[in-house]
Amino acid sequence: MPGELLSVRDLDVAYLTPAGPLHAVQGVSFSMEAGEVVGIVGESGSGKSTLASGVMGLLGPAARITGGSVSFRGDELTGRSEDELRELWGKEIAMVFQDPGTSLNPVLSIEEQLLTPLRQREEGRGKSRQELRAHVTGMLERVGMPDAERRMRSYPHEFSGGMRQRVMIALALISNPALLIADEPTSALDVTLKKQINDLLLGLRDEFGTSILYITHDLGTVAQVCDRVLVMYAGEIVEAGTAREIFETPRHPYTRALLAASPSAARSVDTLVTIPGQVPGLADMPRGCRFADRCPFVEDMCRASHPDLFPVGQQQVRCYIYTPEWTGRTPSDSDPRPAAQAEPASSGTASPGQDPDSSLIVEANGLKVHFTERRNVVDRLLGRPVHKVRAVDSVDFHVFEGEIVAVVGESGSGKTTLGRTVLRLQEKTGGELIVAGNDLAELSRPMLRAARADMQMIFQDAVASLSPRMRVRDLLLEPYTIHGRQPANPDARVEELLEMVELSTAHTGKYPHELSGGQARRVGIARALTLEPRLLIADEPTAGLDVSVGAGILNLLRDLNRSMGLSMVLITHDMNIIRYMAHRVAVMQQGKIVETGPTLELMENPEHPYTQELLAAVSPPEVPQDAP
């Protein structure tokens, strides 16, 4: 193929265990042309990152390429030694890792980390440090680092997450590689930072002709930046095609379900689709189709034998539905993708706040939370002024009974501080705050503890918020002990709480580390609901979760709002979930609420420039109309 840069053919990657090899990637084939952006999507456990590591030659000691071929510019890479591959790393093939915090060396300045690979390359040898520093400064400026000359002397911990990711990209591109492998490069970043990073990658592609293999579970990003898409499930490709084909005419039931599970700022749906079950473990791969146990169209033939990739138009699909032998239902008979015109209850009906009979559960007037940064010895000796951080700055904020209010904004805007202050997990420094009829600042500790039975929080890090020494049953009953209460039948109450969050009683004896991310999040929600609170603060409830798991959490929270009349403050930077979840939205910037209003009105007619900027940066899971 003219211009072919990378060719992967029938690649197998296995982890070697005492019980035998466990195949994490099997029979994967694809190619990339120069300057092309190819996206790989799928749930956790689908083999995306293992595939990238196999292509890069960075598999750990327990993993091996057990079959197939990886060739770069026509040269075979499989079987090469680490020393031979090192000649390609950085110079021809580079990788941006998911977590820049652990990928950057904490004891070396950014300057040293960028100079090291330059010195090791032929083009860097013989050049003075001043010449190399100029090259490094230029690359940092190219990736959007402000004041690059000064900041290059800083250390990783002195940068925000977005800036560390820019440093990682600069490090990957310092030698102008032909192929860049980006593994979740925008994971957990704000919507504006995500857009900046993606624009940066595409700009570098246009400037240098760099090909990009983009690995992510963010379907919105894939729709906006990729030319072609590979959908992976349980270690193999189940669908491949152009981005427009995949998003406009998805064919594999798994692809269709992923898209149906993805909330979008551009469309309204009544209920997000969830995928039952989970990706099979490496030791439990089924004989037939690996998606059979979760597929709504499964037939006997799906379980009996393993399907190949079949050509369907310009796409390739690993599904028997598209063969002449198929006699069962087809996706057109029961499309899992929800209708785009359906309006969610949160925005299709009146907000509880519009009901004259509804009462306020949260009322904040002129609320302030200011922090004073600690000064070190040098600061005190030099008489440097004390710097104050206005995390929440004269905020007026209210939530009505039964209402879901979303608080959105970038990191550092004050969202989480506002949520914690509402529960008095953080003390205010000024203003008035009334929650459930109580002025929290006036309550003594015993009275505050009693009031907290009516207000609970779902923390962003679900596992860290659960005691690692307690089983699920004890975690769910602990609130009763704290508040001096006792359910009439503890076991029945635990079963009821687990049923409420759609977990089986089989989880009662498990510890938090034995739960998946979605299960831990559900246990956290169940624990928050134990004492039947009136107010729930949900801090990034879907952060770090797969699309389907996140859809299940959102459906659960909205169902609780409907069935229990539970009031919620939803703290998030994911603008795609706002339209589905919230009655009203409050936009925060630098500690202030700069705009607030009903969800659809605010999203379709934003007035503040900052709100307009946030919405312009959203990546909905739809291919832009002007895309090729």
Side-chain angles (χ1 to χ4, degrees):
M1 179 188 296
E4 186 174 86
L5 180 73
L6 177 72
S7 176
V8 178
R9 292 289 175 264
D10 297 319
L11 186 67
D12 286 359
V13 179
Y15 291 96
L16 308 181
T17 71
L22 298 177
H23 294 273
V25 172
Q26 278 193 293
V28 168
S29 298
F30 69 95
S31 61
M32 292 182 66
E33 298 183 34
E36 188 177 30
V37 182
V38 175
I40 301 180
V41 300
E43 295 171 282
S44 299
S46 61
K48 307 185 301 294
S49 294
T50 301
L51 173 60
S53 298
V55 169
M56 189 79 174
L58 288 174
L59 293 169
R64 294 283 189 280
I65 291 178
T66 55
S69 165
V70 178
S71 64
F72 181 77
R73 297 193 194 276
D75 295 330
E76 184 62 38
L77 300 187
T78 55
R80 287 196 181 189
S81 67
E82 187 173 310
D83 288 338
E84 290 174 318
L85 289 173
R86 192 174 286 113
E87 291 299 315
L88 290 174
W89 292 340
K91 183 177 182 181
E92 294 286 353
I93 306 175
M95 191 165 184
V96 177
F97 295 94
Q98 181 173 352
D99 187 356
T102 58
S103 301
L104 295 171
N105 192 323
V107 300
L108 293 179
S109 67
I110 299 304
E111 177 182 355
E112 285 303 317
Q113 296 191 56
L114 289 168
L115 285 175
T116 299
L118 276 183
R119 294 194 190 102
Q120 294 173 345
R121 301 295 172 197
E122 185 176 345
E123 62 269 24
R125 293 170 188 158
K127 291 187 178 179
S128 66
R129 182 180 178 89
Q130 185 175 359
E131 290 175 303
L132 294 178
R133 287 187 82 256
H135 184 78
V136 167
T137 303
M139 180 55 71
L140 287 174
E141 290 173 345
R142 185 171 284 120
V143 300
M145 178 67 71
D147 197 7
E149 178 68 31
R150 179 181 66 85
R151 295 304 303 273
M152 66 189 296
R153 295 190 291 272
S154 301
Y155 290 82
H157 73 274
E158 299 178 274
F159 290 91
S160 66
M163 286 299 154
R164 283 197 295 265
Q165 196 64 282
R166 290 172 187 270
V167 172
M168 278 296 300
I169 294 173
L171 183 61
L173 296 174
I174 196 71
S175 297
N176 191 19
L179 173 64
L180 178 67
I181 300 176
D183 188 3
E184 298 279 8
T186 61
S187 178
L189 293 185
D190 293 327
V191 61
T192 50
L193 282 176
K194 183 182 296 185
K195 185 177 190 301
Q196 290 171 17
I197 294 296
N198 288 330
D199 288 347
L200 168 63
L201 290 174
L202 292 179
L204 295 169
R205 185 272 307 267
D206 295 338
E207 182 178 353
F208 297 112
T210 305
S211 299
I212 303 173
L213 186 62
Y214 202 120
I215 299 166
T216 184
H217 66 267
D218 184 344
L219 295 176
T221 292
V222 171
Q224 307 303 310
V225 307
C226 294
D227 302 311
R228 287 191 297 121
V229 181
L230 309 174
V231 182
M232 286 194 72
Y233 183 80
E236 59 186 10
I237 293 173
V238 297
E239 186 165 3
T242 66
R244 185 167 294 283
E245 289 167 342
I246 294 294
F247 282 87
E248 294 187 355
T249 57
R251 300 185 185 276
H252 196 283
Y254 179 60
T255 309
R256 301 167 75 90
L258 283 180
L259 289 170
S262 302
S264 172
R267 60 181 169 86
S268 297
V269 296
D270 184 60
T271 303
L272 296 173
V273 169
T274 58
I275 310 175
Q278 57 189 6
V279 180
L282 299 184
D284 302 310
M285 289 297 176
R287 173 187 173 188
C289 173
R290 296 179 179 181
F291 189 62
D293 288 342
R294 309 174 73 189
C295 182
F297 308 101
V298 64
E299 298 287 343
D300 290 343
M301 65 186 300
C302 304
R303 301 186 189 279
S305 61
H306 188 259
D308 295 324
L309 270 174
F310 302 108
V312 183
Q314 300 299 311
Q315 293 157 253
Q316 290 182 299
V317 186
R318 193 180 298 277
C319 184
Y320 283 124
I321 288 175
Y322 302 98
T323 64
E325 295 79 17
W326 183 257
T327 58
R329 294 186 306 121
T330 64
S332 58
D333 296 330
S334 177
D335 193 342
R337 302 187 72 191
Q341 291 77 25
E343 290 294 332
S346 57
S347 46
T349 62
S351 165
Q354 298 168 5
D355 184 347
D357 296 327
S358 61
S359 58
L360 282 171
I361 191 167
V362 177
E363 183 178 8
N365 299 304
L367 187 64
K368 297 179 182 179
V369 182
H370 296 174
F371 300 104
T372 301
E373 289 189 345
R374 293 183 178 180
R375 296 190 301 167
N376 57 33
V377 175
V378 175
D379 291 333
R380 290 196 293 268
L381 288 174
L382 296 178
R384 290 173 178 165
V386 175
H387 181 58
K388 286 190 176 182
V389 177
R390 300 175 184 270
V392 177
D393 196 15
S394 300
V395 162
D396 295 333
F397 178 71
H398 63 274
V399 180
F400 286 91
E401 288 274 9
E403 187 178 37
I404 300 177
V405 178
V407 181
V408 302
E410 297 171 289
S411 294
S413 62
K415 307 186 301 295
T416 296
T417 302
L418 174 61
R420 290 176 61 85
T421 306
V422 167
L423 300 187
R424 202 179 150 184
L425 297 175
Q426 170 66 52
E427 296 290 346
K428 65 183 178 70
T429 54
E432 179 187 42
L433 177 62
I434 307 296
V435 181
N438 296 305
D439 184 342
L440 297 189
E442 301 297 324
L443 297 183
S444 64
R445 284 192 175 275
M447 294 174 65
L448 178 62
R449 173 173 291 186
R452 280 194 175 141
D454 283 334
M455 48 188 188
Q456 293 292 319
M457 187 164 189
I458 302 171
F459 295 92
Q460 182 172 348
D461 190 337
V463 175
S465 68
L466 303 175
S467 171
R469 297 182 294 276
M470 299 179 70
R471 299 179 190 270
V472 169
R473 181 185 186 278
D474 300 322
L475 286 166
L476 296 183
L477 293 176
E478 186 186 27
Y480 286 108
T481 303
I482 293 173
H483 289 273
R485 304 182 188 178
Q486 185 63 31
N489 188 330
D491 290 332
R493 181 55 175 161
V494 168
E495 184 176 346
E496 181 185 7
L497 287 167
L498 289 175
E499 183 180 351
M500 197 179 295
V501 297
E502 300 174 0
L503 287 177
S504 74
T505 54
H507 294 88
T508 56
K510 292 183 178 181
Y511 290 97
H513 72 273
E514 297 177 293
L515 304 172
S516 69
Q519 290 168 347
R521 197 67 54 98
R522 288 175 183 270
V523 170
I525 295 172
R527 190 175 189 274
L529 296 175
T530 298
L531 300 177
E532 301 180 1
R534 297 169 60 192
L535 174 67
L536 197 62
I537 310 291
D539 190 1
E540 300 286 3
T542 61
L545 299 180
D546 284 324
V547 170
S548 177
V549 178
I553 296 296
L554 294 179
N555 287 342
L556 170 62
L557 290 175
R558 209 175 71 168
D559 287 345
L560 292 171
N561 167 255
R562 289 168 166 174
S563 62
M564 300 172 59
L566 189 61
S567 306
M568 293 187 203
V569 176
L570 176 66
I571 299 169
T572 183
H573 67 261
D574 186 349
M575 300 294 288
N576 278 318
I577 75 174
I578 301 304
R579 187 172 186 136
Y580 177 68
M581 286 293 296
H583 296 102
R584 286 191 300 112
V585 182
V587 182
M588 286 196 74
Q589 182 188 30
Q590 296 179 353
K592 295 181 179 293
I593 291 180
V594 296
E595 185 170 1
T596 185
T599 301
L600 288 184
E601 181 180 323
L602 184 140
M603 296 194 74
E604 294 180 0
N605 298 291
E607 296 184 358
H608 195 278
Y610 180 66
T611 310
Q612 295 169 359
E613 180 185 351
L614 287 179
L615 291 173
V618 174
S619 298
E622 287 99 27
V623 176
Q625 291 302 312
D626 57 354

